[in-house]
């Protein structure tokens, strides 16, 4: 039986450390996390000039992909799409995703779009509308959705019995990608992985150190996200079942969550099903948007 052809992966946006992780996984056979079946072959640097943590990283990451991982650097997203089989759209700034995706959608390549997918519900819906127009397979997720610390607790069998959940994690602020979009989205993604769709309202209280967003689901279940800006970057959760509560400790999991994410998008690129319903991704974006609206209004309830 013939082995599947090695896929050529293209990367759009070299302003996040994720591109080094993915390139090591697919281009370094000596890596402890190495995966076969694909190779990063082409990339476009990108970067957002008004975000220092974005634009300052581009030169170094570009040089490392070129010199260490033998990735060809090109001058446009379109050139990436022309030269590859599947695309990792990793640009750090969620504001750039609708425009960048619109530039490559006509090529029809399957796309994994890194977090934050979008920074408004309108943009999220527009991206999926573009994907539908061009018949592009697309999904977006935080890597924390796939961490084994979570998926061993929330399985297809146990998910239906979840009664509520509480997650916490780092939530650094970036004004251009406000509130929980920038980094707090990791904890939000774990909450929705656990609870599923159906959140109907959000209440959020914020100060300089914390965000606390409480969502009420249509069936009465309650889920919370606590974002920390105090130097505590650990990701934890409590998943409440009818008679027990299970702890999720991402730090205690030996397998890195980016390895699990890489396995998920590789299977998707190789012809697997889209792993996340687009409507759930849109609801995640709206949850954060509503939390921002609630925080700005002093913590009042905001309907999704």
């Amino acid at each position: 039986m013939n082995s599947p052809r090695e896929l050529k992966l293209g990367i759009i946006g070299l302003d996040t450390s994720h591109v080094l992780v993915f390139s090591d996984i697919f281009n370094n056979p000596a890596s402890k996390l190495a995966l076969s079946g694909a190779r990063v072959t082409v990339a476009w640097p990108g970067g957002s000039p008004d975000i220092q943590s974005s634009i300052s990283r581009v030169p170094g990451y570009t040089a490392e992909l070129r010199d260490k991982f033998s990735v060809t650097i090109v001058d446009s997203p379109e050139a990436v799409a022309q030269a590859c089989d599947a695309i990792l759209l990793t640009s750090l700034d969620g504001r750039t995703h609708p425009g960048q995706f619109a530039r490559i959608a006509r090529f029809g390549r399957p796309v994994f779009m890194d977090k934050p997918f979008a920074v408004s519900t309108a943009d999220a819906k527009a991206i999926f509308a573009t994907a539908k127009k061009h018949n592009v397979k697309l999904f977006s997720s935080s890597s924390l959705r796939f961490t084994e610390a979570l998926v061993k607790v929330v399985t297809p069998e146990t998910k239906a019995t979840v009664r509520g959940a509480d997650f916490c994690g780092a939530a650094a602020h970036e004004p251009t990608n406000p509130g929980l979009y920038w980094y707090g989205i990791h904890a939000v993604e774990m909450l929705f992985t656990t609870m599923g769709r159906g959140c109907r309202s959000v209440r959020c209280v914020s100060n300089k150190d914390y965000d606390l967003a409480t969502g009420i689901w249509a069936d009465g279940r309650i889920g919370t996200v606590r974002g920390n800006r105090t130097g505590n970057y650990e990701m934890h959760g409590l998943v409440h079942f009818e008679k027990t509560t299970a702890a999720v400790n991402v730090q205690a999991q030996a397998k890195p969550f980016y390895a699990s994410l890489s396995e998920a998008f590789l299977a998707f690129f190789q012809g697997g099903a889209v792993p996340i319903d687009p409507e759930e991704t849109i609801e995640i974006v709206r949850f954060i948007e509503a939390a921002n609206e609630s925080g700005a209004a002093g913590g009042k309830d905001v309907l999704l």
Side-chain angles (χ1 to χ4, degrees):
M1 184 174 180
N2 293 330
S3 299
R5 178 178 67 86
E6 184 176 75
L7 296 175
K8 294 181 291 184
L9 303 182
I11 295 181
I12 292 173
L14 304 184
D15 55 351
T16 168
S17 60
H18 302 180
V19 303
L20 303 182
V21 175
F22 296 148
S23 296
D24 187 61
I25 287 172
F26 290 107
N27 291 27
N28 179 12
S31 171
K32 294 180 180 179
L33 306 176
L35 289 175
S36 61
R39 183 176 181 83
V40 179
T41 59
V42 62
W44 174 68
S48 295
D50 60 343
I51 301 178
Q52 184 60 25
S53 62
S54 163
I55 200 65
S56 65
R57 295 172 175 174
V58 171
Y61 291 165
T62 299
E64 190 160 352
L65 259 69
R66 182 188 61 235
D67 300 337
K68 181 176 179 180
F69 295 109
S70 301
V71 175
T72 299
I73 306 302
V74 295
D75 61 3
S76 70
E78 292 87 345
V80 171
Q82 286 178 321
C84 70
D85 300 307
I87 296 171
L88 305 173
L89 201 164
T90 54
S91 294
L92 193 63
D93 181 0
R95 298 174 302 167
T96 66
H97 291 176
Q100 290 177 359
F101 182 68
R103 294 175 65 175
I104 62 171
R106 63 186 174 88
F107 295 91
R109 312 296 192 224
V111 175
F112 165 72
M113 193 176 294
D114 214 341
K115 61 83 185 168
F117 179 66
V119 293
S120 72
T121 304
D123 279 356
K125 290 180 176 179
I127 291 170
F128 280 119
T130 300
K132 183 176 181 180
K133 176 182 177 181
H134 293 279
N135 196 29
V136 174
K137 293 176 61 180
L138 165 71
F139 86 98
S140 177
S141 178
S142 155
S143 56
L144 272 296
R145 174 180 288 268
F146 299 100
T147 176
E148 290 188 348
L150 181 61
V151 301
K152 70 183 181 184
V153 172
V154 182
T155 67
E157 292 73 30
T158 65
K159 187 169 183 174
T161 67
V162 170
R163 296 293 179 263
D166 306 291
F167 287 93
C168 66
H173 271 176
E174 165 50 53
T176 63
N177 288 239
L180 296 170
Y181 283 123
W182 188 245
Y183 210 84
I185 193 169
H186 287 305
V188 176
E189 190 92 40
M190 289 195 290
L191 178 66
F192 273 83
T193 303
T194 302
M195 299 281 284
R197 291 172 55 198
C199 185
R200 290 295 176 262
S201 67
V202 178
R203 177 185 302 167
C204 184
V205 178
S206 299
N207 60 33
K208 67 182 180 65
D209 292 326
Y210 305 104
D211 301 300
L212 180 61
T214 301
I216 308 296
W217 265 247
D219 56 10
R221 294 179 300 155
I222 298 174
T224 67
V225 169
R226 180 183 179 89
N228 296 321
R229 286 182 291 281
T230 62
N232 176 1
Y233 301 127
E234 291 193 349
M235 312 293 292
H236 292 271
L238 293 173
V239 180
H240 308 295
F241 300 99
E242 185 175 0
K243 297 184 182 298
T244 63
T245 294
V248 175
N249 182 354
V250 174
Q251 291 66 226
Q253 186 60 50
K255 184 177 181 179
F257 39 81
Y258 283 111
S260 299
L261 171 61
S262 298
E263 291 171 353
F265 66 64
L266 177 60
F268 166 68
F269 289 155
Q270 290 174 330
V274 176
I276 304 166
D277 186 335
E279 291 300 321
E280 182 167 326
T281 299
I282 292 170
E283 189 170 319
I284 288 170
V285 173
R286 176 56 190 152
F287 179 96
I288 297 174
E289 186 176 60
N292 289 345
E293 293 169 4
S294 175
K300 76 171 187 178
D301 288 332
V302 173
L303 298 177
L304 268 66

